[in-house]
Amino acid sequence: MLRNLEFQASGFYSCEVSTETPIYTKPSNDQELTVVQSQRNAPQLLTAKPAYKVGETLEANCTSSPARPTAHVTWLVNGKPARVNCKHKG
């Protein structure tokens, strides 16, 4: 049983059974294991100001808590996918 795994523990695992007498060794097949880290908090949305006029450019930042694999951000306006010009900061 593996406990408290870190993401770096992801990889291929196998086991091997052996006995002393008679000499016997039998390896298992490799099995891939991926450790995932779920987001612990909801994403945070920040805007430069609370209201915008028609024609203004909305600048907003969406920050998610750490996750592996990395979270994918989708922008929605009134529940529908938005057309956006994103500048992603690594």
Side-chain angles (χ1 to χ4, degrees):
M1 182 178 295
L2 303 173
R3 296 178 186 208
N4 300 319
L5 294 175
E6 296 291 329
F7 184 75
Q8 293 79 4
S10 295
F12 287 90
Y13 284 74
S14 62
C15 62
E16 184 174 287
V17 175
S18 61
T19 61
E20 290 183 25
T21 307
I23 298 174
Y24 172 81
T25 302
K26 177 74 174 166
S28 70
N29 294 330
D30 288 347
Q31 182 69 43
E32 186 173 13
L33 173 79
T34 303
V35 178
V36 296
Q37 177 183 347
S38 300
Q39 291 179 305
R40 292 198 171 110
N41 302 306
Q44 300 258 331
L45 177 62
L46 300 173
T47 58
K49 55 188 184 178
Y52 289 82
K53 295 178 185 174
V54 172
E56 284 188 294
T57 299
L58 166 67
E59 291 187 30
N61 177 284
C62 180
T63 302
S64 63
S65 59
R68 289 194 183 182
T70 304
H72 175 77
V73 176
T74 301
W75 288 92
L76 305 173
V77 176
N78 297 323
K80 296 179 183 174
R83 291 185 342 188
V84 296
N85 180 7
C86 291
K87 295 177 184 174
H88 177 64
K89 294 182 180 180

